[in-house]
Amino acid sequence: MLSLFNTALEGTPCLMPFNDRLVPGELLGICGPHGAGKSTLIGLLAGLYRPTRGSICLDGQPLHCWPSSYRAQRISHVVAPPQSLADWRVRDLVGLGLLESCSRVTQHGASSPPCLPLAVETALNALDLQAMGDQRLGELDPENAQRAMIARSLCQVAAAPHCPFRQRRDNGILLLDLEPLAPEQEQRLLADLRAASRRHRLCIVAVISQCDASLACCDRVWWMDAGSRCTNLTPAVRHVLKVQVAPPKAETSLPRAPDATS
């Protein structure tokens, strides 16, 4: 799985060193104030950035040492639905996740793996999208559009346990950095994600709001703050790791030139 050893990142925001590991079958929430570095931390876990101190290891080796074909089967970074995919049918979009994953390792020239229909239906069912498979992504409301993007990633890392082209078939990692939803929508989504994490032995890491009900949906929480750890979390959240964020250094401002119009 994914392990962090004294992992830190310099810059803005500056993530202070910390240690932890992602566990199969858990839903891990990341929360904190705006600008605390939540998206930056997701990017670190996805391999978009390298830590400036310490390391992030996937299955015992540094994340960046694995070929992209292996990482594509183990980790999927879920972002907000791009406009370029608005005309895609949901069913085709979800299947694209498995096709992208398999195309990196197969040399057989097959148009699609035989497990594709089952993989797509499994992912649609997990995100409660069975009735929307033939709709266009752009026709969906924001909540279901995000669910479609998550289903695509679920298909990529976990929804085809019998695919002959996959090197690993378990313990995938979903990293979610999506647009905020209404509290009720977020909690419905988190409940489905928690069920999927257990069913497919995934670790799902999601940036979430600080709502008590949303926090209670998670198995663990990474609380990101430059100050002291939050003390008013719901009693249901018993495992909170404080990820400290150093405040940006104050810069000496140079005197501004007078406005020519004044």
Side-chain angles (χ1 to χ4, degrees), residues 211-217 231-238 240:
C211 172
D212 276 359
S214 295
L215 293 170
C217 293
T231 57
N232 60 349
L233 293 175
T234 172
V237 181
R238 302 185 183 278
V240 180

Side-chain angles (χ1 to χ4, degrees), residues 179-229:
E179 295 296 326
L181 295 172
E184 299 81 5
Q185 295 175 333
E186 181 181 60
Q187 289 147 31
R188 284 198 302 266
L189 177 59
L190 289 174
D192 287 343
L193 291 176
R194 190 172 185 178
S197 70
R198 284 150 171 72
R199 185 179 306 116
H200 299 287
R201 295 292 295 163
L202 300 170
C203 179
I204 301 180
V205 184
V207 174
I208 63 172
S209 69
Q210 301 176 35
C211 172
D212 276 359
S214 295
L215 293 170
C217 293
C218 301
D219 299 297
R220 292 193 299 136
V221 174
W222 285 353
W223 175 268
M224 304 187 65
D225 195 355
S228 59
R229 191 169 87 181

Side-chain angles (χ1 to χ4, degrees), residues 81-141:
Q83 187 60 35
S84 60
L85 297 177
D87 291 334
W88 278 70
R89 283 197 322 156
V90 171
R91 190 179 307 279
D92 296 335
L93 175 69
V94 172
L96 183 63
L98 181 62
L99 292 176
E100 289 178 337
S101 176
C102 291
S103 66
R104 299 184 183 221
V105 296
T106 178
Q107 303 296 326
H108 299 273
S111 58
S112 63
C115 58
L116 181 61
L118 175 60
V120 170
E121 292 305 318
T122 300
L124 290 174
N125 291 340
L127 275 300
D128 198 22
L129 294 172
Q130 306 95 310
M132 305 177 192
D134 293 323
Q135 294 188 38
R136 305 287 177 181
L137 181 65
E139 298 172 350
L140 303 182
D141 59 74

